[in-house]
Amino acid sequence: MPARAPGRAGRHGRVGTGRRAATVLAVAAVALAAACQRPAPRPAPPSPTPTGPRAPADVVDLAAVDPTVRTDIRYAGAHNFVGRPIDGYPEPLCLLTRRAAEALHRVQTAALAGGHSLKVYDCYRPQRAVDEFVAWAKRPDEQRMKGEFYPDVPKDRLFADGYIGAPTAHSRASTLDLTLVPVPGPEPARYVPGQPLVPCTAPAGRRFADDSVDMGTGFDCFDPRAHTDDARVTAAARDNRELLRELMSAQGFENYPREWWHYRYVDEPYPDTWFDFPVARSSLR
């Protein structure tokens, strides 16, 4: 058998093994160098946080306390005395202090027992919304919704007559605007921007049909007939206003005499604080 040349190894000899090891080391070195040049992995982005101020921990979404209370949050849409969504209302929610929300739940229990449900139009109102109302009141040319909400009152009288004010108890998160609706009852009408307006003082069969019992005027009606004890409304409307007042008073709410729909929880936890967090779930803790 001829002798193998020095330095050559067979298929399974030591020289072949050494070459393979050298190749592996070279590949590893290239991979290590590439890893050193590769940018470090980015950390996971932080969870998004709400923008703007946050609500106190005891402010809640009413729907979490009593989902049976109906809502028609007017300032989140266009069916209001300004005619457009109001600053600070990105979501149509009723936010209240827990103390007020739990009291309202007790009102709803009593209302349902008598064949009615509560329906809220507005609850907590940010200070920025109040500021927008004040600015709007100073622009005499903006009167697109006059035909429904203040048909007989000059716009320049809205402050003097107490229909718009700053600050407002709504910004303390224990005041709300509401009505009674029958259970079962008709479907509420859908407001379409630009539709013909009917005065809020018109008879119940003619004004905007939002499924409320007859309260003598519509909601946010800037007119003396919206005063809770105004004698010019029908006997049925007076009875309905009195029923709402009895239900609310029994659970610690007080009516504002110039507005049949406006009630403040007397034992409010923030009597001297006006908040400005947005009406949004992200405002809650």
Side-chain angles (χ1 to χ4, degrees), residues 208-267:
F208 183 80
D210 71 347
D211 78 350
S212 171
V213 300
D214 182 12
M215 289 291 190
T217 74
F219 164 66
D220 254 2
C221 188
F222 299 162
D223 190 276
R225 280 164 283 193
H227 295 184
T228 308
D229 292 324
D230 192 279
R232 289 172 291 177
V233 298
T234 65
R238 288 197 299 272
D239 289 345
N240 289 330
R241 292 180 182 187
E242 187 57 31
L243 174 60
L244 179 60
R245 182 159 53 186
E246 290 175 357
L247 290 167
M248 296 294 284
S249 299
Q251 299 302 330
F253 289 92
E254 179 181 66
N255 175 244
Y256 174 52
R258 289 175 175 264
E259 298 174 347
W260 59 257
W261 54 82
H262 179 113
Y263 283 85
R264 177 183 69 90
Y265 188 59
V266 175
D267 191 23

Side-chain angles (χ1 to χ4, degrees), residues 44-170:
S47 300
T49 55
T51 59
R54 301 286 298 280
D58 62 339
V59 171
V60 298
D61 180 357
L62 175 63
V65 176
D66 192 330
T68 69
V69 176
R70 304 185 190 186
T71 58
D72 180 10
I73 306 301
R74 292 288 185 88
Y75 301 140
H79 192 204
N80 56 63
F81 63 89
V82 176
R84 61 175 180 269
I86 303 302
D87 188 20
Y89 285 84
E91 296 179 62
L93 303 176
C94 173
L95 304 185
L96 291 170
T97 60
R98 180 171 292 279
R99 193 179 299 175
E102 290 176 348
L104 197 69
H105 165 65
R106 295 191 292 271
V107 177
Q108 174 72 339
T109 300
L112 289 172
H116 295 92
S117 172
L118 302 177
K119 182 170 81 168
V120 295
Y121 296 113
D122 190 34
C123 299
Y124 159 73
R125 184 182 305 165
Q127 182 59 43
R128 69 191 71 182
V130 179
D131 295 342
E132 183 169 349
F133 292 160
V134 172
W136 168 84
K138 295 177 180 178
R139 294 192 289 266
D141 293 339
E142 290 191 26
Q143 301 198 41
R144 74 184 72 171
M145 303 300 285
K146 177 177 174 58
E148 179 174 351
F149 292 96
Y150 50 109
D152 301 319
V153 178
K155 184 178 179 181
D156 60 8
R157 293 291 308 170
L158 296 182
F159 265 113
D161 292 349
Y163 297 114
I164 297 177
T168 174
H170 279 278

Side-chain angles (χ1 to χ4, degrees), residues 21-45:
T23 301
V24 170
L25 290 174
V27 171
V30 170
L32 180 61
C36 292
Q37 296 175 357
R38 188 181 304 133
R42 296 179 180 178

